Amino acid sequence: VSGATIEEATATLVAAELEVSDEVLEEFDLVLPAGIVKGTNPPSGESVERGSVVRLVVSLGPNPVSVPAVTGKTLQDLTAEFEALNLIVGATSEEFNDFVEAGTILRLTNAEGVALPAGSEVLAGSTLNVVVSAGAIPDLEGLSVDEARRLLQEVGLLGIVGGDGEFSDTIPEGSVVKVLDRDTRIVVPGDTLTLLVSRGPELVEVPDVIDNTISEAKRKLEALGFRVEVRSEFPEEDWAKSFARVTSVDPSVGQEVAAGTLIILRSFV
């Protein structure tokens, strides 16, 4: 009667002049769905007298098993563990991770892609998909675009230049500053990354501070990010007085220079 419903199995046994117990035995089974008869007790094939009481053994379906921890494990480690748990390794995919070595498992997911933490329950016989680390994305900061693209190609990624660029006091103009959206997306082999390149240091126009007092000119320039050196016959305690006026600026007024440039103020009678 294996594979029959309880009603079908009962009818078959009654037709064989056997009595079916109201109490059933339940067992987990990887194949038979819950509620389907798995066998009998005494088992099929054993000789019994007419009128003997027979108990049905009914499937509970697959038994639940706990999802194993995967931290630090490789696919080879997991395969052996899955065999012991009657779980099946499904599709394997890769994604880049800056903190987990290439080939190490990042997480397990179900068919819908939902991550399954260690200790969560699934049914024996389930197929779980595996996400494995592809290793870290190369550090591209300060590299030329060609060199950055070469390194990306070596790990299965493409690079294109995009965005408006970004000012940088430390990275030469035309070199890579960063990868756009690097920290807000999952990157997998075959993806294209957008490279943001340096525009060099941001240039600031030297304002017209001629005839300002030394103190006023110095304040304006420092507010723009310049360093200021004063060369004057007047002592510092007089710089705010009306007679201590700026007579020349170097670099000259209107010139565009990088923030942080040293501006020399001169004030002589």
Side-chain angles (χ1 to χ4, degrees):
V1 291
S2 178
T5 64
I6 293 176
E7 292 77 10
E8 291 169 344
T10 299
T12 299
L13 293 171
V14 169
E17 301 184 47
L18 296 171
E19 181 180 342
V20 179
S21 173
D22 291 335
E23 296 182 2
V24 300
L25 299 172
E26 294 179 318
E27 294 180 0
F28 291 110
D29 192 282
L30 288 175
V31 178
L32 294 175
I36 296 299
V37 175
K38 183 177 180 180
T40 58
N41 186 18
S44 173
E46 185 173 319
S47 296
V48 295
E49 296 181 358
R50 287 186 176 86
S52 295
V53 176
V54 177
R55 296 179 70 181
L56 297 177
V57 181
V58 178
S59 171
L60 289 171
N63 58 293
V65 295
S66 294
V67 173
V70 297
T71 303
K73 293 179 180 177
T74 65
L75 193 57
Q76 185 176 359
D77 299 330
L78 187 71
T79 300
E81 196 165 356
F82 267 30
E83 288 178 359
L85 294 170
N86 285 318
L87 294 174
I88 300 169
V89 175
T92 301
S93 60
E94 288 185 309
E95 67 181 48
F96 287 91
N97 189 292
D98 290 337
F99 308 103
V100 179
E101 185 179 355
T104 302
I105 296 171
L106 296 175
R107 61 184 177 276
L108 302 175
T109 68
N110 61 17
E112 289 73 39
V114 177
L116 299 171
S120 57
E121 285 195 344
V122 295
L123 296 178
S126 296
T127 297
L128 305 186
N129 298 326
V130 186
V131 182
V132 177
S133 173
I137 293 175
D139 182 8
L140 307 177
E141 183 177 316
L143 300 180
S144 69
V145 171
D146 287 343
E147 178 68 8
R149 284 174 170 160
R150 185 185 66 79
L151 289 181
L152 290 176
Q153 287 175 353
E154 288 180 357
V155 296
L157 295 169
L158 298 175
I160 60 171
V161 175
D164 296 326
E166 184 175 288
F167 291 111
S168 174
D169 295 330
T170 58
I171 298 176
E173 183 176 358
S175 294
V176 176
V177 175
K178 62 182 178 182
V179 175
L180 286 178
D181 302 326
R182 171 65 187 88
D183 299 325
T184 59
R185 60 177 287 199
I186 292 175
V187 179
V188 302
D191 277 355
T192 297
L193 302 183
T194 301
L195 307 176
L196 192 69
V197 299
S198 171
R199 297 171 63 179
E202 184 173 9
L203 300 182
V204 183
E205 183 177 320
V206 178
D208 185 358
V209 293
I210 301 297
D211 209 33
N212 287 188
T213 64
I214 296 173
S215 291
E216 183 180 14
K218 185 173 183 292
R219 178 183 56 79
K220 288 179 180 179
L221 292 169
E222 289 176 340
L224 292 172
F226 294 120
R227 295 177 296 119
V228 178
E229 179 182 322
V230 176
R231 298 179 184 177
S232 173
E233 61 186 9
F234 301 111
E236 187 171 350
E237 59 267 23
D238 289 341
W239 286 359
K241 295 180 179 178
S242 61
F243 55 79
R245 302 218 171 242
V246 174
T247 55
S248 70
V249 179
D250 184 22
S252 59
V253 171
Q255 187 173 340
E256 289 190 337
V257 295
T261 296
L262 177 65
I263 305 294
I264 298 174
L265 293 179
R266 293 183 175 87
S267 176
F268 295 98
V269 175

